[in-house]
């Protein structure tokens, strides 16, 4: 008889949620980078154009970060979670700025053409993802602090 054991910890499950969201958002940006809507407002159009041009690169980065948040190596998880937190924080600011300048934030293109969220739902989603990403960094930093030699990436 074959003995098969799967070790599923809550920290792995908690990492999988934002990792999946980041990887999915990145893949959808790669599929539809043009889905970031143009703005008719001159004060917003410059930043929106920069975001449109950066969409494929941001998509690749999000896939990479989503994958890295699942890494065994705490060193990699720390960097990925910090970068993901920075992207989420920037995204929250970008969405708020779009909304406050009178633009429809549902055309932000964060999830390509597939998912269009109202400003409220999108801010809640980003806030939840940020709340899930920060503990990944804290947990990985704790692992490194407690046993820096035990990290496979060191």
């Amino acid at each position: 008889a074959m003995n098969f054991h799967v070790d599923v910890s809550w920290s792995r499950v908690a990492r999988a949620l934002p990792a999946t969201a980041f990887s999915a958002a990145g893949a959808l940006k790669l599929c539809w980078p043009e889905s970031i809507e143009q703005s008719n407002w001159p004060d917003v159009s410059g930043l929106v154009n920069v975001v449109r041009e950066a969409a494929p690169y941001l998509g690749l980065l999000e896939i990479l970060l989503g994958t890295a948040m699942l890494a065994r190596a705490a060193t990699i998880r720390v960097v990925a979670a910090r970068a993901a937190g920075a992207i989420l924080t920037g995204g929250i600011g970008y969405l708020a700025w779009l909304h406050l300048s009178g633009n429809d934030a549902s055309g932000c293109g964060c999830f390509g053409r597939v998912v269009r969220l109202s400003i409220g739902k999108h801010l809640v989603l980003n806030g939840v993802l940020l709340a899930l990403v920060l503990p990944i960094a804290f947990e990985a930093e704790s692992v490194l602090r407690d046993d820096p030699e035990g990290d496979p990436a060191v």
Side-chain angles (χ1 to χ4, degrees):
M2 187 188 301
N3 190 3
F4 185 71
H5 174 72
V6 176
D7 179 28
V8 178
S9 68
W10 284 111
S11 68
R12 287 184 186 174
V13 172
R15 284 190 305 219
L17 295 172
T20 301
F22 259 76
S23 297
L28 293 169
K29 276 185 194 71
L30 289 177
C31 290
W32 295 288
E34 77 286 351
S35 63
I36 297 170
E37 293 180 359
Q38 293 283 9
S39 171
N40 296 325
W41 292 63
D43 59 330
V44 180
S45 62
L47 179 61
V48 171
N49 288 336
V50 168
V51 172
R52 278 178 66 100
E53 293 297 318
Y57 306 105
L58 184 58
L60 287 172
L61 178 61
E62 287 175 338
I63 292 169
L64 178 66
L65 292 176
T67 304
M69 280 189 265
L70 299 174
R72 277 188 62 228
T75 306
I76 294 171
R77 290 196 314 271
V78 167
V79 172
R82 287 178 180 172
I87 289 172
L88 286 165
T89 302
I92 289 168
Y94 178 69
L95 289 168
W97 187 62
L98 281 177
H99 179 70
L100 293 173
S101 61
N103 287 270
D104 179 12
S106 70
C108 65
C110 290
F111 294 96
R113 286 188 280 192
V114 176
V115 179
R116 292 178 62 101
L117 300 171
S118 68
I119 182 72
K121 289 178 182 174
H122 207 315
L123 289 173
V124 167
L125 174 63
N126 279 11
V128 168
L129 288 174
L130 188 58
L132 292 171
V133 162
L134 292 176
I136 294 171
F138 296 145
E139 178 268 338
E141 289 167 352
S142 172
V143 167
L144 292 173
R145 194 173 33 255
D146 294 344
D147 185 14
E149 300 301 317
D151 186 40
V154 175

